[in-house]
Amino acid sequence: MEADGAENTDISNTKKPKHKGKHDKPKPWDEDPNIDRWKIEKFDPSWNQGGMLDVSSFSTLFPKYREKYLTDAWPMVKSALKEFGIDCELNKNEGSMTVKTTIKTRDPYIIVKARDLIKLLSRSVPAPQAIKILNDDMSCDIIKIGNMIRNKERFVKRRQNLVGPNSSTLKALELLTGCYILVQGNTVAAMGSFKGLKQVRRIVEDCIQNKMHPVYHIKILMMKKELEKDPALKNENWDRFLPKYKKKTVKQKKVKSKKKKQDTPFPPPQQPSMEDIQLETGEYFLSDKKKQAKKWHEKQEKQLEKTTENKRKREAAFVPPKELIKEDPSTYADNNNDVAAMAMSLKKKSKEFGKQKSFENVNPEDYIATSGEQPRKKKSKRD
């Protein structure tokens, strides 16, 4: 028995570990350079000759101000959807648009495209532009920006940054991303390829959240367009070529927070009433005649103060201004003499100081003649 148990343990240890994807063997078409895996092939009705098994429908509401435009453009929308076997309905009473499949529908994904079409129409996208969503190589994205920021004023300013002056920023983004962009209310509707829609969403979110201005994104996209033309940089990292922008934080003034009063369980002290104040001053025990006399006396004092103040203001206009006292010319001459004497004394002192320095700087070797050397004769001016 022990030998059998040992054999079983050896067999269990020798089992090969299971690994996922063991059947994923390389296929001959995996490394074929002629195959474009990003290409979207156009749908062929022969792929689904039986049609749809059940009816699928989508509906969406539209605002009141779009009713007139939609009634005018509805025949164009209806004829475009009819080509793909989709039925559409415009309900003015409920303010809704509905699309549904029919027996003639062959493409199973076209109903999703029709749903996107009525969404774009309700978001103020023009009908000729919205109908392009029915093409296979066209996608759409509706970005909600209303709840990204609470402050209404900041939201309006940042949304204007996205549009730019005379819609210049928006046009530049459309050219670089290859997408149609429409900013309307609290949403941004975009139409284009998947790659372009991904770029548009990142730019819009960075702008509304104040992470990066759209102008910087435009500069980066322009540089990427130039780098794409160089085949040598096709498989390299482009981060070293792209500019890096740091967000500058502006120092804001700190709001002084008011000190909160400490919450105490005891009520505030009771304020004294008029009777308590009169009791303290002794006025409570006075008679009515004495009270009136006191009031009259206080009134007279106030009137006297007011009259004296008014009188002082009236008399101030008649007070002559103080005259400037002119100095005598004799005193002016004495001052000039004092300054001149001081200047002469300073000159004498500077001369004495210069002589003293010249004596200190005398070199005795210039005056002592060494043995064997004759003193040099001065050159005559005549020579």
Side-chain angles (χ1 to χ4, degrees), residues 229-278:
K229 295 174 184 177
D230 192 355
L233 301 170
K234 190 177 180 181
N235 298 322
E236 289 189 19
N237 192 5
W238 292 349
D239 287 344
R240 56 199 172 106
F241 301 110
L242 300 176
K244 292 176 183 178
Y245 300 105
K246 289 183 180 179
K247 186 182 174 184
K248 293 180 181 178
T249 52
V250 182
K251 288 185 179 179
Q252 296 180 350
K253 290 181 180 178
K254 291 181 180 179
V255 182
K256 292 181 180 179
S257 59
K258 293 180 180 178
K259 291 182 180 178
K260 292 183 179 179
K261 293 180 181 178
Q262 293 181 351
D263 295 331
T264 55
F266 305 105
Q270 190 176 358
Q271 297 296 324
S273 63
M274 285 293 293
E275 290 180 356
D276 294 338
I277 294 165
Q278 287 177 358

Side-chain angles (χ1 to χ4, degrees), residues 313-320:
K313 286 180 180 178
R314 284 196 301 272
E315 288 176 353
F318 300 102
V319 176

Side-chain angles (χ1 to χ4, degrees), residues 287-317:
S287 62
D288 293 338
K289 284 184 179 179
K290 286 183 178 179
K291 285 179 182 178
Q292 287 176 1
K294 190 179 180 183
K295 281 183 182 179
W296 182 82
H297 187 66
E298 287 175 356
K299 192 176 180 182
Q300 290 294 323
E301 283 181 354
K302 285 181 181 178
Q303 284 180 356
L304 187 65
E305 286 177 4
K306 194 74 176 173
T307 50
T308 51
E309 182 66 24
N310 292 337
K311 190 178 179 182
R312 188 185 62 76
K313 286 180 180 178
R314 284 196 301 272
E315 288 176 353

Side-chain angles (χ1 to χ4, degrees), residues 9 61 71 81 134 232 238 291 323 327 332 362 365 368:
T9 54
L61 300 172
T71 49
L81 289 169
L134 299 172
W238 292 349
K291 285 179 182 178
E323 294 181 1
E327 293 183 355
Y332 182 71
V362 170
E365 291 180 2
I368 300 167

Side-chain angles (χ1 to χ4, degrees), residues 104-137:
K104 296 178 181 179
T105 309
R106 293 290 175 269
D107 188 357
Y109 192 72
I110 198 67
I111 187 65
V112 180
K113 293 271 189 181
R115 180 203 63 184
D116 293 341
L117 170 63
I118 58 173
K119 270 188 184 179
L120 292 168
L121 288 169
S122 65
R123 295 312 309 153
S124 301
V125 177
Q129 179 64 35
I131 288 166
K132 292 178 184 177
I133 196 67
L134 299 172
N135 299 333
D136 292 330
D137 57 345

Side-chain angles (χ1 to χ4, degrees), residues 152-182:
K152 187 74 176 174
E153 291 178 2
R154 286 182 185 174
F155 171 73
V156 172
K157 281 182 182 178
R158 290 176 189 177
R159 187 178 63 181
Q160 187 57 38
N161 288 342
L162 186 63
V163 177
N166 298 324
S167 303
S168 57
T169 309
L170 208 62
K171 286 172 187 173
L173 288 171
E174 285 180 354
L175 288 168
L176 291 166
T177 56
C179 296
Y180 170 81
I181 307 167
L182 179 73

Side-chain angles (χ1 to χ4, degrees), residues 42-108:
K42 195 175 181 181
F43 180 78
D44 190 2
S46 61
W47 296 347
N48 185 18
Q49 293 179 357
M52 310 296 288
L53 295 173
D54 200 0
V55 177
S56 302
S57 65
F58 291 100
S59 63
T60 186
L61 300 172
F62 60 87
K64 186 72 177 174
Y65 62 86
R66 290 288 290 171
E67 185 178 335
K68 189 176 183 302
Y69 178 79
L70 287 172
T71 49
D72 296 339
W74 199 248
M76 188 198 304
V77 176
K78 199 168 188 177
S79 62
L81 289 169
K82 195 175 181 181
E83 293 177 10
F84 298 94
I86 298 288
D87 189 21
C88 60
E89 184 186 349
L90 178 69
N91 193 337
K92 295 180 186 177
N93 296 329
E94 294 179 2
S96 65
M97 292 179 283
T98 310
V99 289
K100 57 185 177 180
T101 57
T102 60
I103 304 166
K104 296 178 181 179
T105 309
R106 293 290 175 269
D107 188 357

